[in-house]
Amino acid sequence: MTRGNQREKDRERAAARTGGKAKGKDDGLTPEQRRERDGKALQEKQAKKAAGAGGSAGAGTGDANKAKK
């Protein structure tokens, strides 16, 4: 049960759909810069989620405590 060249054809079609751009580390940043950028984005996301929680402290901890038992 071999697939022949189906994988290559699928990769070519996927590249054509994305315009030939490969996803990944094409942003020209060093690993340190990328880590800093991603960390800032994560902090903003967490702050937004915390603001959306409205002040319900400890939300979502009930299931975690059940799993520990």
Side-chain angles (χ1 to χ4, degrees):
M1 293 178 50
T2 60
R3 293 184 58 164
N5 66 345
Q6 183 177 352
R7 286 184 180 155
E8 286 184 30
K9 287 184 178 181
D10 287 344
R11 287 185 182 123
E12 289 173 6
R13 283 196 315 242
R17 279 193 302 262
T18 60
K21 294 181 184 177
K23 236 183 171 182
K25 301 178 180 178
D26 294 2
D27 53 5
L29 298 175
T30 64
E32 292 82 19
Q33 291 170 329
R34 191 174 299 112
R35 198 173 306 121
E36 184 177 330
R37 179 197 62 192
D38 294 346
K40 286 180 184 178
L42 181 61
Q43 288 176 354
E44 290 173 6
K45 184 176 179 182
Q46 288 173 341
K48 184 177 179 182
K49 186 174 181 180
S56 58
T61 59
D63 293 336
N65 290 336
K66 289 180 184 177
K68 290 181 181 177
K69 290 183 180 182

